[in-house]
């Protein structure tokens, strides 16, 4: 299934999206996310990831206002992209380590190596669309 690319010739949509994400990050950090311990695998002063922030929001769900929840939802596409990147990296490492598609498929719960390879192709295509 081919999707037509969305061309934003003046960059307004991307800029607006980035501004919303920035505001969402600031909002969640002001609620205490900025006090989370740094992850040892990320060098300082790396900012919190969108995944970190969404997990923080889940942890503090009882304290969030509807606007806080909307801010968190704004970060979901970025969190999804981060997870896709981590998954692609792990799959690359697995293949580099000599694991077979059959082994990878079994570990990831696919019914066949071919299904796993097709999934990886879709994952890679999603990353290229970004």
């Amino acid at each position: 299934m081919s999707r037509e690319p969305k061309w934003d010739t003046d960059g307004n949509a991307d800029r607006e999206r980035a501004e919303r994400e920035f505001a969402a990050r600031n909002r969640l950090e002001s609620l205490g996310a900025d006090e989370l311990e740094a992850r040892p695998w990320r060098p300082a002063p790396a900012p919190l990831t969108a995944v970190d922030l969404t997990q923080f929001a889940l942890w503090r769900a009882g304290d969030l206002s509807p606007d806080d929840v909307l801010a968190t939802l704004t970060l979901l596409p970025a969190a999804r992209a981060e997870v896709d990147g981590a998954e692609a990296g792990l799959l690359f490492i697995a293949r580099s380590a000599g694991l077979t598609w059959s082994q990878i498929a079994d570990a990831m719960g696919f019914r066949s190596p071919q299904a796993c390879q097709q999934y990886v192709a879709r994952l890679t295509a999603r990353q290229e669309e970004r």
Side-chain angles (χ1 to χ4, degrees):
M1 182 168 133
S2 175
R3 291 178 20 189
E4 288 293 317
K6 296 177 185 173
W7 299 105
D8 180 18
T9 56
D10 61 3
N12 283 336
D14 288 341
R15 186 173 25 263
E16 289 171 6
R17 178 91 194 144
E19 289 170 357
R20 285 193 311 272
E21 284 184 17
F22 182 76
R25 287 176 173 278
N26 285 338
R27 182 180 199 103
L28 290 169
E29 287 173 0
S30 73
L31 293 173
D34 60 346
E35 297 173 15
L36 294 173
E37 290 186 30
R39 305 297 187 251
W41 52 87
R42 281 199 328 264
L48 292 168
T49 66
V51 171
D52 288 334
L53 291 168
T54 55
Q55 288 178 330
F56 169 80
L58 287 170
W59 177 53
R60 296 281 308 270
D63 302 327
L64 299 182
S65 71
D67 287 339
D68 298 333
V69 174
L70 283 173
T72 305
L73 290 171
T74 300
L75 295 174
L76 281 179
R80 190 172 296 113
E82 290 170 6
V83 171
D84 284 353
E87 186 174 15
L90 285 171
L91 288 163
F92 178 81
I93 290 169
R95 292 294 291 152
S96 297
L99 295 176
T100 66
W101 283 112
S102 181
Q103 290 171 309
I104 295 168
D106 186 51
M108 294 181 68
F110 287 97
R111 292 183 181 203
S112 71
Q114 294 78 16
C116 184
Q117 286 176 299
Q118 291 169 352
Y119 172 79
V120 171
R122 289 190 302 274
L123 174 66
T124 304
R126 272 197 319 262
Q127 288 185 307
E128 290 172 358
E129 288 177 3
R130 292 185 180 118

